[in-house]
Amino acid sequence: MSWASDARKDSMDLIEETLASIAPLDEAAMRDARDHQARLTKPPGALGVLEDLSVRLAGLAGQCPPPRPEPAAVAVFAADHGVHAQGVTPWPQEVTAQMVANFLAGGAVVNAFAAQVGAGVAVIDIGVAGELDAAPGLLRRKIAPGTADMTAGPAMTMDKARSAVEAGIEVARELVASGARCLLTGDMGIANTTASAALIAAFTGLPPELVTGRGTGIDDATHEHKVEVVRTALARHGFLDGLDQEPMEVLAAVGGLEHAAIAGFVLGAAALRVPVVLDGVIAGAAVLVAAALSPDVLGACVAGHRSAEPGHTAAIEALGLRPLVDLELRLGEGTGALLALPLVQGAVRVLHEVATFDSAGVSEKSAGAGGQSAGRP
């Protein structure tokens, strides 16, 4: 067997091993969490979505209360896209590498938000077209210097798609091994919203015009052209008339290297039973791939926010995820996930720190008192 064949076998072994390790949420732990929530010194259900989140995180961990989701680390996967040649954005491709340098220098919004919430930042070169200088915080995992133009052929080979998924799994393992107890997705790549729209359209069956947004803020003419580019790619690969290909085949046809890596990253987190807070449309597209490979992966996923990109709403609705924040963000980098992180941590902190009615000596509501709780008007 050749070295290349050995590498393919190892990649498939890692992916299959990871998929085999992903299990459904623990029903007993979720029942314990619901019971505990009902005994806390607050009206039942008063924390709304955060109560549901705490129950799900207990099910993920298999215990109540679940471990505190801290410290946290955001992984910013960076890659370039061959579809950039189709004129879908006015930004030059060199901006990808330039922004990676900015991340590493600590000058981007992701760095500011990460500092605010005490999260670490790892930047992963999974497919940047240019060569990057070594720097603290940079993980070199380059599979290729970007993808090919998806309108002319597959964006990448199946081997490259698998290798990128494998790299994402390895990054998740490395961050957890280094102490992270909550992972966040981040991304950087000029033209990556075009590939995201193609993936979302392929997996949801929605037409390109409903899932293709304005990305970095393109004008009407460029947006119309971008929609047609997505439509051309979907037609080129036979995705306009229904989807009968395997998830990895769809990923290789129209996805990006960062989509593949984020899919692996989320699969790796789920296998380790560590929560992963998702950022925007790039993460949404990637998780459609991951969930098609293993539906139980969604037990580990928290939709940090709802992006202004229409494709993101389509993706999270298809996945059945409810975003915690809706601020019309469309920056990427992991910024929306970082803003949501304190909510995720707060949901778990309640189970650890809030007193029960018995322990606090607080009277519970009497029979027939409706929604009134003792001491509340």
Side-chain angles (χ1 to χ4, degrees), residues 57 60-61 67-73 172 175-177 179-184 265-277 297 299-302:
L57 293 182
L60 178 66
R68 298 175 190 267
E70 50 192 77
L175 291 178
V176 172
R181 293 298 174 263
C182 184
L183 301 180
L184 291 76
F265 185 70
V266 172
L267 290 169
L272 295 168
R273 303 193 81 79
V274 170
V276 55
V277 185
V297 75
C301 294
V302 179

Side-chain angles (χ1 to χ4, degrees), residues 90-319:
W91 292 87
Q93 195 168 65
E94 292 77 11
V95 170
T96 300
Q98 292 165 357
M99 281 302 299
V100 167
N102 192 26
F103 300 150
L104 296 170
V109 178
V110 65
N111 303 106
F113 285 0
Q116 176 174 274
V117 297
V121 179
V123 183
I124 301 92
D125 175 7
I126 196 71
V128 177
E131 288 302 318
L132 303 173
D133 294 332
L138 176 64
L139 301 180
R140 296 177 179 273
R141 299 290 188 274
K142 195 192 298 287
I143 305 302
T147 53
D149 183 352
M150 65 180 178
T151 66
M156 57 187 134
T157 65
M158 286 289 288
D159 282 350
K160 289 178 180 176
R162 292 188 186 103
S163 294
V165 171
E166 180 184 28
I169 294 170
E170 290 174 343
V171 170
R173 290 183 173 187
E174 290 169 17
L175 291 178
V176 172
S178 69
R181 293 298 174 263
C182 184
L183 301 180
L184 291 76
T185 72
D187 62 85
M188 179 62 215
I190 298 300
N192 62 9
T193 59
T194 304
S196 296
L199 281 172
I200 293 166
F203 279 102
T204 65
L206 293 170
E209 59 270 21
L210 293 186
V211 298
T212 305
R214 294 180 181 268
T216 50
I218 56 179
D219 59 23
D220 289 346
T222 306
H223 180 246
E224 290 177 10
H225 173 64
K226 182 178 177 181
V227 170
E228 290 310 309
V229 168
V230 172
R231 194 187 315 279
T232 298
L234 294 171
R236 171 68 175 77
H237 300 287
F239 298 156
L240 285 178
D241 300 320
L243 190 64
D244 58 4
Q245 284 94 331
E246 292 297 317
M248 291 294 293
E249 293 174 339
V250 181
L251 173 63
V254 298
L257 289 160
E258 77 270 51
H259 293 107
I262 292 172
F265 185 70
V266 172
L267 290 169
L272 295 168
R273 303 193 81 79
V274 170
V276 55
V277 185
L278 309 176
D279 198 41
V281 67
I282 285 78
V287 176
L288 285 170
V289 178
L293 293 168
S294 174
D296 286 329
V297 75
L298 295 174
C301 294
V302 179
H305 79 121
R306 182 193 306 275
S307 166
E309 286 285 299
H312 188 232
T313 293
I316 58 177
E317 287 182 354
L319 293 165

Side-chain angles (χ1 to χ4, degrees), residues 347-371:
V348 174
R349 186 175 290 269
V350 165
L351 291 178
H352 281 269
E353 299 181 13
V354 175
T356 63
F357 283 104
D358 287 343
S359 68
V362 176
S363 300
E364 297 187 60
K365 71 177 182 179
S366 59

Side-chain angles (χ1 to χ4, degrees), residues 30-40:
M30 290 195 292
R31 184 168 55 252
D32 290 345
R34 291 189 193 97
D35 291 345
H36 189 67
Q37 282 280 2
R39 297 196 303 274
L40 298 180

